[in-house]
Amino acid sequence: MVLWTPEHLKTLLPSFIVMIILGVLLKIFIGNKSEKIRFIPFQICAVVIVILEILKQVISFIRGYDLYHIPLHFCSLFIFVLPAMAFYHGKYKDYVRAIGSAVSASLFIFMAVYPDLIYSAGAIKGTFTNFFDFHTVVFHTVATFTFVLIVCLNLHTPKIKRDALSVLVFMIGYCLIASIMAQILKTNFNNFYQCNIAPLQAVKDAILPVLGFTLTQTIYVLIVIVLDLAFTQGAYHFYRLVNYLVKKLELKLKKQ
């Protein structure tokens, strides 16, 4: 199991540095502007995400549709959550923003810790020769950047009880839909059909002859759901911590 490949080190590490620099610069220039202005970079990212996904779906249909391209992966949530957070300003905007912040934080953590699970070294090598590789790398890079924007441009004010419940309910809904469709279509949405982490898949395979497919798969799916719910809750609290530290640093710099 490799967390970071040499290809990720050469491309993703510089990307993180650029993201943070851009976030700081945007904070300096528009951080004190109205919410409408502060949301513009985030809205641009949301539009880019949607355009990339539309192109992916169209090309997939042209080439002979691959069921794996159905937007039921965890990262597929960005094509729904980001536009909602970017353009919805109604009564439930705080709930939507909490979900968007938690989902963005989840991807940011994965990209920082285990990027090879998100996209492979092969996808990086094929970025400029294969559209689907290009989509994978650019889509996840832009989606990761949205977390930086949320924190740097103060696009959401955390409120723990409201936010944690919103994220939990949303993720339960997603997990139920994605896990059921993964079994029906026998397609590995969000690891609900099989595990992309080799050691864990080996354990699953070892248990299979003892418990049988149905029971093994049921237990496995329930474990993945619990892990998803726990991870997104943890990601939300990670976001709260980062948000708190950034604001604390801001106050310290203002006093100097």
Side-chain angles (χ1 to χ4, degrees), residues 6 16 25 41 77 93 138 154 159 163 165-166 216-217 231:
F16 270 117
L25 289 175
L77 293 175
K93 67 178 182 180
V138 176
N154 192 26
K159 188 175 181 181
D163 293 352
L165 182 59
S166 301
T216 299
Q217 196 68 5
F231 182 75

Side-chain angles (χ1 to χ4, degrees), residues 157-215:
T157 302
K159 188 175 181 181
I160 184 167
K161 290 183 179 180
R162 175 199 66 200
D163 293 352
L165 182 59
S166 301
V167 174
L168 180 63
V169 171
F170 176 80
M171 285 304 300
I172 288 174
Y174 162 70
C175 286
L176 289 175
I177 294 169
S179 62
I180 291 171
M181 292 305 295
Q183 311 316 307
I184 293 173
L185 299 175
K186 294 180 172 53
T187 304
N188 199 32
F189 303 123
N190 193 42
N191 284 313
F192 279 124
Y193 195 68
Q194 60 188 30
C195 189
N196 286 334
I197 302 174
L200 297 181
Q201 181 62 33
V203 172
K204 181 172 178 268
D205 291 340
I207 296 171
L208 184 61
V210 180
L211 300 181
F213 178 80
T214 302
L215 184 55

Side-chain angles (χ1 to χ4, degrees), residues 18-253:
V18 171
M19 288 179 203
I20 292 170
I21 291 172
L22 284 175
V24 171
L25 289 175
L26 285 168
K27 186 172 188 63
I28 292 171
F29 288 108
I30 65 171
N32 293 321
K33 301 292 184 180
S34 67
E35 183 179 278
K36 184 177 180 180
I37 299 297
R38 285 185 283 115
F39 257 96
I40 291 175
F42 191 88
Q43 290 170 339
I44 293 171
C45 288
V47 170
V48 169
I49 288 285
V50 172
I51 291 172
L52 284 171
E53 187 62 25
I54 290 172
L55 289 172
K56 173 187 170 182
Q57 296 299 324
V58 170
I59 292 173
S60 186
F61 272 112
I62 292 172
R63 295 184 181 182
Y65 197 74
D66 184 344
L67 293 178
Y68 193 72
H69 291 160
I70 295 174
L72 287 172
H73 302 279
F74 179 83
C75 290
S76 299
L77 293 175
F78 287 106
I79 66 178
F80 309 107
V81 171
L82 293 188
M85 181 174 176
F87 297 103
Y88 175 71
H89 301 288
K91 180 179 178 181
Y92 302 103
K93 67 178 182 180
D94 290 326
Y95 300 97
V96 173
R97 291 177 185 183
I99 293 166
S101 299
V103 171
S104 294
S106 298
L107 179 61
F108 185 88
I109 293 170
F110 260 115
M111 291 286 276
V113 177
Y114 192 180
D116 193 52
L117 187 64
I118 304 298
Y119 58 76
S120 67
I124 297 173
K125 291 175 182 177
T127 300
F128 298 107
T129 58
N130 181 288
F131 173 78
F132 292 112
D133 288 338
F134 172 82
H135 173 279
T136 297
V137 173
V138 176
F139 181 100
H140 290 94
T141 301
V142 174
T144 302
F145 183 49
T146 61
F147 176 70
V148 177
L149 292 176
I150 290 169
V151 173
C152 289
L153 297 179
N154 192 26
L155 302 183
H156 170 63
T157 302
K159 188 175 181 181
I160 184 167
K161 290 183 179 180
R162 175 199 66 200
D163 293 352
L165 182 59
S166 301
V167 174
L168 180 63
V169 171
F170 176 80
M171 285 304 300
I172 288 174
Y174 162 70
C175 286
L176 289 175
I177 294 169
S179 62
I180 291 171
M181 292 305 295
Q183 311 316 307
I184 293 173
L185 299 175
K186 294 180 172 53
T187 304
N188 199 32
F189 303 123
N190 193 42
N191 284 313
F192 279 124
Y193 195 68
Q194 60 188 30
C195 189
N196 286 334
I197 302 174
L200 297 181
Q201 181 62 33
V203 172
K204 181 172 178 268
D205 291 340
I207 296 171
L208 184 61
V210 180
L211 300 181
F213 178 80
T214 302
L215 184 55
T216 299
Q217 196 68 5
T218 301
I219 293 171
Y220 170 73
V221 168
L222 290 174
I223 290 172
V224 174
I225 289 175
V226 170
L227 290 175
D228 275 353
L229 298 180
F231 182 75
T232 47
Q233 288 294 310
Y236 168 71
H237 289 292
F238 166 78
Y239 152 65
R240 286 183 62 242
L241 176 61
V242 172
N243 195 61
Y244 167 77
L245 292 175
V246 168
K247 281 184 167 47
K248 192 173 181 180
L249 178 61
E250 265 186 79
L251 290 172
K252 187 176 180 179
L253 291 173

